Each structure stands twice: as structure tokens, then as C-alpha cells.
């Protein structure tokens, strides 16, 4: 029977199993392309909206969307509702989005099988 201490993995196993490039700095480097793409898409959205290539009702400016979301999130109840408030509207939209996302994930998984 072998000595249990001789069966222990070498101490450098943890270092050898670490994925290359997974330090904190390199993770940020890996995220840079996604961040740049997000900023580029926002800039493109802004340019298309501001230039009038798309009607304002179908593609509002990103700033208008952010202001509307912030207003809906911070004001307790609009005057023309029965007291449900903006949060109940946002929550119902959130639930709908969650259900649609899960359904899309399920359909995508079934198609992939």
C-alpha cells in the first residue's frame, strides 16, 4: 500500500489548473471589447434618433428613455391611475420580460437538442 502522503497532489497543482489570463487585470482587458461595443451601439442609436432617420415614437433618444425610466422608478404614483404606481407597471413589464426570456431560452434549448 502506498504512503498517503505520497499520493497527495503536488503543491503547484492549483497554480497549474488556473486558467491563463484570469487575473483581475486581464479580466478587465477581456471586458473592454464588450464595453466599447455597448458604447458604440448607444452612440449609433443616438445618431440615428437625432438625425430623424427613424420616427421619435419608434426610436426615441437614449437620454429620453433613461429619463422616462428614472421618472417611472422614482415617482410613487401617477395621477391618472388608481394608486398602483409606476412600480407596479415596471414590475408587470419585468415579469412579462422574464417569462418571454425563459420561453425563448427553452425554445432555443429544444432547437439545439
Amino acid at each position: 500500500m502506498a504512503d498517503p502522503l505520497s499520493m497527495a497532489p503536488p503543491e503547484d497543482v492549483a497554480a497549474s489548473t488556473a486558467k491563463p489570463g484570469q487575473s483581475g487585470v486581464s479580466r478587465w482587458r477581456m471586458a473592454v471589447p464588450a464595453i466599447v461595443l455597448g458604447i458604440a451601439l448607444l452612440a449609433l442609436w443616438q445618431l440615428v434618433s437625432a438625425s430623424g432617420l427613424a420616427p421619435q415614437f419608434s426610436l426615441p433618444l437614449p437620454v429620453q428613455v433613461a429619463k422616462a425610466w428614472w421618472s417611472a422608478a422614482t415617482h410613487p404614483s401617477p395621477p391618472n391611475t388608481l394608486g398602483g404606481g409606476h412600480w407596479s407597471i415596471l414590475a408587470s413589464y419585468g415579469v412579462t420580460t422574464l417569462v418571454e426570456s425563459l420561453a425563448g431560452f427553452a425554445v432555443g434549448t429544444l432547437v439545439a437538442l
Side-chain angles (χ1 to χ4, degrees):
M1 184 169 195
D3 181 22
L5 294 177
S6 66
M7 294 174 43
E11 291 182 22
D12 63 337
V13 166
S16 67
T17 58
K19 294 180 181 176
Q22 290 298 314
S23 69
V25 173
S26 63
R27 284 184 185 165
W28 278 105
R29 281 191 206 141
M30 290 172 50
V32 167
I35 293 169
V36 169
L37 178 63
I39 292 170
L41 288 174
L42 279 173
L44 179 65
W45 177 9
Q46 177 73 27
L47 287 171
V48 169
S49 297
S51 69
L53 291 173
Q56 283 288 330
F57 66 87
S58 66
L59 191 64
L61 294 169
V63 173
Q64 291 173 331
V65 173
K67 284 180 182 179
W69 184 89
W70 185 253
S71 174
T74 57
H75 290 84
S77 180
N80 60 350
T81 64
L82 299 175
H86 288 296
W87 280 112
S88 64
I89 295 168
L90 289 175
S92 70
Y93 289 158
V95 168
T96 301
T97 302
L98 177 65
V99 168
E100 290 172 350
S101 298
L102 292 174
F105 178 74
V107 169
T109 301
L110 289 174
V111 169
L113 295 176

